């Protein structure tokens, strides 16, 4: 009977949809429980490394994602005070040859849509919205969850892909978030309003004391994503609110005019007070496991949040495949294959934030780190991250 039960996936975001695709490919029916009124996505642009495209291909939606992405020519970092070019990494044909896939930027909504279309086309994924789970009851061969109205849902396994404030994680781990004090403002600007001298086909970052700014093209270059980050003067609480241009301007007084253009463009901002959590050594509990931000919420500095969720989904599917859909063995292998890698992303993100926001002598050191470094040396340093694919995702350290 348990073989006929669906896998319950909590959360209909990028991680949940990717997990659904991976599970369908292993022969399972999937029930996605989403607390929002509809299956959708909010946010702005995100960056996709070659590892993300390896994951898209493994999930069967590579063509969909590629059709909506903008493929960059390079990544570049400038000092926001004096415009000094700290480092530039080509993402050209040599990059693609090295890692087997491109580097791209894309609207978060377009990633979600590509996965959603793929899931809907299978005919094996059922969606239930306005459904917030409040209780989980596992037994030896199945899991039952109850929503806010007392409705029960029975599944052969439970995947908690319910994001940074995961109910599934709270049920099993209940650890506190680590509020960073770093605030992120995001906005999307039409091409016609974006400065000509910044219309680069690149993932671009301007790094300054306790702050940085990011910009890159979206949707065929018809829009541009703008992200600014600063260390807040006040005590922050984890969450998303409406932003204010006055607040943003107050944190970017000392930066060069070229970068400062970015904060003068948006008519409205969304404000994220960010947090992560400490990496944990266990996120599988019987037939329940965590995936994506529910398993390893991270800051944005490595630009790998969505990529890690995609990798998780592919790895989960592969772990089931090699264990003939034996859930106990598969979830153990999935967890062992992901703990170290995702923990490294979380901790690397914290360190990268420090590098971006360096001041004083640390700023001078940062600006000298990559001077005259050839592209191949950058690629060597990125191998651990961008060298991931479906064929090595189960490799153990």
């Amino acid at each position: 009977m348990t073989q006929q039960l669906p896998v319950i996936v909590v959360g209909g975001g990028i991680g949940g949809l990717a997990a659904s695709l991976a599970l369908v490919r292993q022969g399972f029916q999937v029930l996605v429980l989403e607390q929002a009124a509809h299956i959708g996505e909010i946010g702005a642009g995100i960056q996709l490394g070659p590892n993300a495209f390896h994951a898209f291909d493994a999930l069967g939606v590579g063509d969909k994602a590629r059709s909506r992405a903008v493929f960059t020519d390079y990544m570049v970092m400038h000092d926001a005070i004096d415009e000094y070019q700290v480092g530039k990494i080509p993402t050209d044909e040599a990059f693609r040859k090295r890692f087997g896939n491109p580097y791209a930027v894309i609207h978060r909504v377009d990633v979600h849509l590509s996965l959603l279309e793929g899931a809907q086309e299978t005919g094996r994924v059922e969606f239930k919205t306005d459904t917030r789970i409040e209780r989980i009851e596992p037994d030896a061969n199945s899991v039952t969850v109850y929503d806010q109205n007392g409705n029960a849902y029975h599944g052969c396994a439970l995947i908690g892909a319910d994001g940074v404030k995961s109910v599934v994680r709270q049920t099993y781990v209940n650890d506190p978030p680590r509020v960073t004090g770093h605030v992120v403002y995001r906005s999307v600007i039409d091409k016609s309003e974006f400065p000509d001298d910044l219309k680069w086909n690149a993932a671009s970052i301007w790094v300054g004391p306790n702050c940085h700014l990011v910009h890159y093209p979206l949707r065929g270059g018809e829009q541009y994503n703008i992200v600014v980050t600063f260390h807040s003067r006040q005590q922050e609480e984890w969450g998303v609110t409406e932003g204010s241009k006055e607040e943003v301007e107050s944190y970017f007084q000392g930066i060069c005019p070229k970068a400062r253009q970015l904060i003068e463009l948006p008519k409205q901002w969304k404000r994220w007070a960010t947090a992560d959590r400490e990496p944990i050594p266990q996120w599988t509990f019987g037939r329940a496991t965590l995936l994506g931000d529910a398993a390893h919420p991270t800051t944005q500095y490595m630009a790998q949040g969505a990529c890690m969720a995609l990798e998780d989904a592919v790895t989960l599917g592969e772990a089931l495949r090699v264990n003939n859909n034996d859930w106990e063995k598969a979830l153990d292998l999935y967890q062992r294959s992901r703990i170290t890698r995702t923990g490294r992303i979380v901790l690397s993100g914290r360190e990268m934030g420090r590098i971006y926001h360096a001041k004083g002598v640390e700023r001078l050191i940062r600006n000298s780190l990559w001077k005259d470094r050839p592209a191949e040396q950058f690629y060597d340093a990125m191998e651990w991250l961008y060298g991931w694919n479906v064929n090595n995702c189960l490799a153990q350290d």
Side-chain angles (χ1 to χ4, degrees), residues 321-339:
R321 182 183 65 80
V322 301
N323 285 292
N324 297 313
N325 290 348
D326 180 315
W327 278 101
E328 183 176 343
K329 291 179 180 178
L331 291 184
D332 175 65
L333 177 57
Y334 159 67
Q335 175 180 273
R336 285 188 288 113
S337 299
R338 298 302 296 163
I339 292 290

Side-chain angles (χ1 to χ4, degrees), residues 44-90:
I46 58 175
Q47 300 181 48
L48 298 174
N51 51 326
F53 286 99
H54 285 301
F56 284 133
D57 289 338
L59 296 171
V61 294
D63 290 343
K64 295 180 188 295
R66 285 182 180 84
S67 72
R68 295 175 169 122
V70 174
F71 303 108
T72 59
D73 295 326
Y74 55 93
M75 296 180 266
V76 65
M77 179 187 291
H78 286 94
D79 188 305
I81 294 177
D82 60 11
E83 295 190 32
Y84 173 74
Q85 184 176 290
V86 182
K88 184 176 181 180
I89 307 171

Side-chain angles (χ1 to χ4, degrees), residues 145-163:
V145 299
Y146 297 85
D147 69 13
Q148 75 274 25
N149 298 313
N151 298 311
Y153 306 93
H154 307 286
C156 62
L158 173 67
I159 313 300
D162 47 341

Side-chain angles (χ1 to χ4, degrees), residues 357-374:
H357 297 169
K359 50 188 177 294
V361 174
E362 277 198 345
R363 169 179 168 249
L364 301 177
I365 295 168
R366 178 204 60 213
N367 287 1
S368 71
L369 282 178
W370 302 303
K371 185 175 175 59
D372 300 324
R373 176 182 283 199

Side-chain angles (χ1 to χ4, degrees), residues 41 43-45 67-71 105-113 188-191 216-225:
E41 186 58 90
S67 72
R68 295 175 169 122
V70 174
F71 303 108
V105 288
I106 190 171
H107 201 294
R108 191 176 189 92
V109 169
D110 292 335
V111 174
H112 188 271
L113 179 59
V188 176
I189 302 296
D190 287 341
K191 175 183 178 180
Y216 48 79
L218 296 173
R219 293 178 165 164
E222 293 304 309
Q223 294 180 322
Y224 282 82
N225 193 57

Side-chain angles (χ1 to χ4, degrees), residues 126-244:
E126 178 185 354
F127 297 94
K128 188 165 180 59
T129 56
D130 282 318
T131 304
R132 176 178 172 81
I133 69 160
E134 294 189 343
R135 185 158 53 96
I136 302 169
E137 290 187 357
D139 61 35
N141 298 306
S142 65
V143 180
T144 303
V145 299
Y146 297 85
D147 69 13
Q148 75 274 25
N149 298 313
N151 298 311
Y153 306 93
H154 307 286
C156 62
L158 173 67
I159 313 300
D162 47 341
V164 294
K165 297 187 177 180
S166 167
V167 175
V168 181
R169 182 171 181 139
Q170 183 180 359
T171 299
Y172 287 105
V173 184
N174 198 26
D175 56 333
R178 175 185 169 273
V179 178
T180 64
H182 298 188
V183 171
V184 180
Y185 270 68
R186 294 183 172 97
S187 190
V188 176
I189 302 296
D190 287 341
K191 175 183 178 180
S192 60
E193 300 174 19
F194 200 75
D196 287 337
D197 60 350
L198 293 176
K199 286 178 179 174
W200 308 334
N201 185 33
S204 311
I205 184 168
W206 299 80
V207 291
N210 291 341
C211 66
H212 75 269
L213 309 93
V214 170
H215 60 96
Y216 48 79
L218 296 173
R219 293 178 165 164
E222 293 304 309
Q223 294 180 322
Y224 282 82
N225 193 57
I226 299 176
V227 184
V228 303
T229 302
F230 54 83
H231 294 197
S232 178
R233 304 182 191 99
Q234 64 195 48
Q235 184 67 38
E236 294 291 337
E237 292 187 10
W238 196 9
V240 184
T241 57
E242 293 299 320
S244 114

